[in-house]
Amino acid sequence: MDLTILLGLTITFIVILITKKFQLFIISKTCSKKQLPFPPGKKGWPLIGETPSFVSSPKKFILDRMKTYNRNAFQTSIAGETVAILCGPAANKFIFSNENKLLKFWLPYSVSKALAQQNANPNSNSYKMADEIAHKFLKLDNIQKFVGTMDSMAQQHLDTFWVPSLQVKVHPLIKEFTFELSYRVFVEYFNPNLKSLKELRDPFFEFIEGILSTPLYVPGMPYYKALKASKIVQEKIFEMVEKRKNKMGNDDHDHDQIDGDLLGRFLMVRDEDGSCVSKEDIARVIVGFIFASFYTTTTTIAFTIAYLSKHPHVYDKVLQEQMNIKRSKGEGEQLNWIDVQKMKYSWNVICETMRLKPPSPGGFKEAITDFNFAGFHIPKGWKIHWSAYSTNMNPKYFENPEKFYPSRFEGSGPAPYTFVPFGGGPRMCIGKEYAKIETLVFLHNLVTKFKLKMVNPNEKIFYNPDPIPVDGLKVHLQLHS
Ligand code: HEM
């Protein structure tokens, strides 16, 4: 064969090979079925992925990547998983309306293990009963009964820990308050035993410290300590279940207990076969509730106080609203649900705080089937994240987004799906009424007692991924004359 022909054939063969290989490469980078690309992005370091940047500066993480890769979706790697972060109101609507169709609720294994969720059986009768009772317990018609208790607990907390001081560290004090309140509402409403409260508080605080840390099960590491502490918390709740059962004796019709805490409610309810919720499911729900309410409400109350201390004109408007309510009450009369409904401006202040400092930065889901979103393909098994920052900090939906401006919530408020602090769809937060009442009632008691001034208005905040003030958020207090 002529050498030129041979050379020509070889080159053609090589070109065909390269083209084929390139096609294969392109296809493997996209989806074989739909031909849409995966969202752009990078995975970061082996194993840890981009977890440290996501946890330590969630706002910057989201906003930077929306700018660099795509405003609607990008990919990353968090907690050892490939995660598609879907951004904007369309993403929120898509995620909330496709729960259990295209995606389902997901928690990193390390977190669900520490929350004692791993051995639970969602198909068991006990699990279903526990969830039904717990959902009913948090509904507004039940939870509004606790307004008076929350009011007197807030008063007592402020009189004991705030009034004697001229200056307090707000964040650690609010942690004590939110924990004690959840203990009363979920575990021991009648004649609370302070010793039992402390026995649960100490391991719970240790557990909460390490649950979101790097999941290294090595003695001395925070995650190791968190798992140990989670076991102790569970054992304590088992003991409390036994104690309460003995106290209740055989009287199944003790209505005081039914109208009291969640633990009492669990022990009273039986299904048609006479079986009741297992102690494991009781502990699972109670630990989950204390956990879900602890940081979220602590962050909300603490940062509302920070913003009020820095914005005296907003504080004055809140004070005026709360004084009107206080003046309408008799001496020593507790707040009730009707009073809480009148706290409209105060609620706008809390919403603006949650917009700027989201107590829950978003939610995680898992794709249960392949799907497309905004021109990208998301394969089954990928994890999905919706992020509060993707809408809360967008000037298109919130003019001058860095500015603290509660009046933006007046009138019809933000556009749909742009402000979703409690999520949406079937897995929307079931504690939102509890959170609303708790934060408003605390605020009422605080502003009607003190004028506030931040010691250091530029106090630094670190993220974990919840915002935590480095110095505990120090505030000067001045009692109203
Ligand atoms: C300011 C306070 C709170 C905020 C901002 C908040 C936020 C959220 C968000 C965003 C979700 C949905 C996450 C997702 O899409 O996957 C959620 C779910 C949940 N929250 Fe809250 N939460 C708050 C307070 C509470 C409280 C006080 C409780 C309990 C007493 C609670 C219990 C729950 C539970 C059990 C779920 C899961 C619901 C389900 O999966 O069906 N939360 N929360």
Side-chain angles (χ1 to χ4, degrees):
M1 204 189 291
D2 186 291
L3 196 65
T4 335
I5 298 174
L6 189 67
L7 201 67
L9 277 175
T10 315
I11 290 171
T12 316
F13 183 68
I14 290 171
V15 168
I16 289 172
L17 252 184
I18 290 175
T19 317
K20 279 265 171 229
K21 190 138 182 125
F22 188 64
Q23 269 177 357
L24 274 178
F25 175 73
I26 297 277
I27 287 166
S28 74
K29 284 283 247 183
T30 61
C31 142
S32 49
K33 272 190 229 155
K34 317 264 176 180
Q35 302 291 310
L36 287 177
F38 295 138
K42 64 177 166 91
K43 299 267 187 64
W45 297 91
L47 289 174
I48 57 167
E50 297 197 290
T51 316
S53 337
F54 173 74
V55 171
S56 61
S57 47
K59 179 165 107 182
K60 185 170 163 21
F61 183 91
I62 300 292
L63 300 184
D64 284 357
R65 281 160 183 73
M66 281 174 76
K67 227 184 245 168
T68 311
Y69 298 119
N70 189 285
R71 298 208 67 75
N72 300 317
F74 60 87
Q75 65 164 292
T76 179
S77 169
I78 297 171
E81 302 278 351
T82 301
V83 180
I85 303 202
L86 309 187
C87 307
N92 292 345
K93 184 174 180 188
F94 180 86
I95 292 172
F96 301 151
S97 47
N98 281 302
E99 185 88 53
N100 301 328
K101 293 178 202 154
L102 302 179
L103 29 84
K104 64 173 187 189
F105 185 74
W106 177 80
L107 277 179
Y109 177 80
S110 57
V111 178
S112 62
K113 188 174 160 73
L115 282 172
Q117 307 280 325
Q118 288 304 315
N119 300 326
N121 174 8
N123 297 319
S124 72
N125 214 16
S126 162
Y127 187 104
K128 289 180 193 157
M129 268 171 79
D131 274 14
E132 198 185 322
I133 296 166
H135 274 65
K136 271 195 194 149
F137 186 86
L138 284 178
K139 283 214 180 323
L140 181 60
D141 60 351
N142 184 57
I143 216 71
Q144 61 174 277
K145 293 179 200 147
F146 292 95
V147 174
T149 306
M150 292 186 187
D151 186 23
S152 48
M153 280 184 68
Q155 272 175 43
Q156 205 184 353
H157 171 86
L158 291 170
D159 287 342
T160 314
F161 300 107
W162 298 52
V163 171
S165 321
L166 294 175
Q167 189 182 301
V168 288
K169 279 193 178 188
V170 170
H171 197 259
L173 281 177
I174 301 293
K175 274 163 69 174
E176 300 296 335
F177 174 74
T178 54
F179 178 78
E180 194 174 332
L181 180 65
S182 56
Y183 178 84
R184 283 289 300 278
V185 176
F186 302 135
V187 185
E188 199 171 22
Y189 184 62
F190 296 103
N191 310 316
N193 177 337
L194 290 183
K195 188 168 162 268
S196 306
L197 182 144
K198 177 127 180 46
E199 279 174 4
L200 198 60
R201 179 228 176 260
D202 293 349
F204 180 81
F205 273 48
E206 177 130 59
F207 151 70
I208 210 98
E209 285 283 303
I211 185 172
L212 297 176
S213 61
T214 315
L216 287 175
Y217 194 66
V218 176
M221 298 302 281
Y223 184 69
Y224 179 90
K225 289 188 196 163
L227 280 195
K228 292 255 167 246
S230 142
K231 285 236 164 60
I232 299 173
V233 169
Q234 209 178 359
E235 289 299 326
K236 289 283 162 214
I237 294 177
F238 289 168
E239 277 172 27
M240 287 165 190
V241 169
E242 284 314 312
K243 257 195 221 155
R244 180 69 73 84
K245 271 187 183 163
N246 292 339
K247 216 164 150 191
M248 284 164 72
N250 294 322
D251 183 5
D252 279 1
H253 302 286
D254 185 341
H255 286 280
D256 271 357
Q257 300 288 347
I258 290 179
D259 272 343
D261 50 58
L262 180 60
L263 175 53
R265 189 76 62 97
F266 278 137
L267 295 179
M268 293 304 295
V269 178
R270 299 203 185 232
D271 67 5
E272 47 291 359
D273 304 335
S275 45
C276 52
V277 179
S278 70
K279 66 176 187 201
E280 287 78 11
D281 279 314
I282 295 180
R284 171 181 65 81
V285 174
I286 290 181
V287 172
F289 275 16
I290 300 180
F291 173 72
S293 62
F294 184 68
Y295 261 120
T296 50
T297 56
T298 298
T299 304
T300 310
I301 300 176
F303 282 94
T304 303
I305 297 173
Y307 283 116
L308 287 180
S309 319
K310 286 199 266 187
H311 297 85
H313 61 288
V314 175
Y315 169 91
D316 288 344
K317 278 178 85 172
V318 171
L319 178 64
Q320 197 184 348
E321 179 174 83
Q322 297 297 347
M323 283 310 285
N324 286 342
I325 294 166
K326 196 176 165 82
R327 284 191 205 104
S328 72
K329 311 289 293 178
E331 181 67 34
E333 191 189 346
Q334 285 180 331
L335 291 174
N336 56 38
W337 172 236
I338 296 170
D339 301 317
V340 174
Q341 286 168 285
K342 292 180 192 154
M343 303 179 183
K344 293 209 165 24
Y345 181 74
S346 304
W347 182 240
N348 290 346
V349 172
I350 292 166
C351 287
E352 182 65 341
T353 303
M354 290 196 287
R355 183 185 71 79
L356 286 163
K357 296 278 179 291
S360 167
F364 281 97
K365 313 282 168 185
E366 179 178 335
I368 48 180
T369 177
D370 286 13
F371 65 83
N372 295 331
F373 175 77
F376 296 112
H377 181 71
I378 314 289
K380 179 179 172 185
W382 273 32
K383 306 301 176 273
I384 316 294
H385 178 61
W386 64 267
S387 165
Y389 294 104
S390 82
T391 50
N392 291 9
M393 301 316 295
N394 188 334
K396 195 165 151 196
Y397 312 117
F398 298 96
E399 201 186 327
N400 214 345
E402 294 292 343
K403 189 176 167 193
F404 179 72
Y405 181 54
S407 298
R408 67 171 93 237
F409 283 89
E410 275 161 19
S412 55
Y417 297 101
T418 56
F419 179 66
V420 283
F422 298 103
R427 302 300 297 252
M428 187 179 196
C429 178
I430 53 172
K432 63 182 193 309
E433 309 295 353
Y434 174 110
K436 182 172 181 175
I437 298 173
E438 177 186 356
T439 46
L440 284 168
V441 167
F442 193 89
L443 200 62
H444 169 87
N445 282 284
L446 181 88
V447 297
T448 54
K449 221 177 244 312
F450 306 111
K451 242 184 152 37
L452 314 157
K453 193 162 170 252
M454 257 186 101
V455 171
N456 174 10
N458 300 317
E459 183 173 334
K460 288 229 158 18
I461 291 161
F462 70 91
Y463 287 80
N464 186 26
D466 315 281
I468 300 171
V470 282
D471 213 8
L473 220 162
K474 279 195 201 147
V475 166
H476 286 300
L477 305 170
Q478 193 189 336
L479 272 170
H480 293 304
S481 49

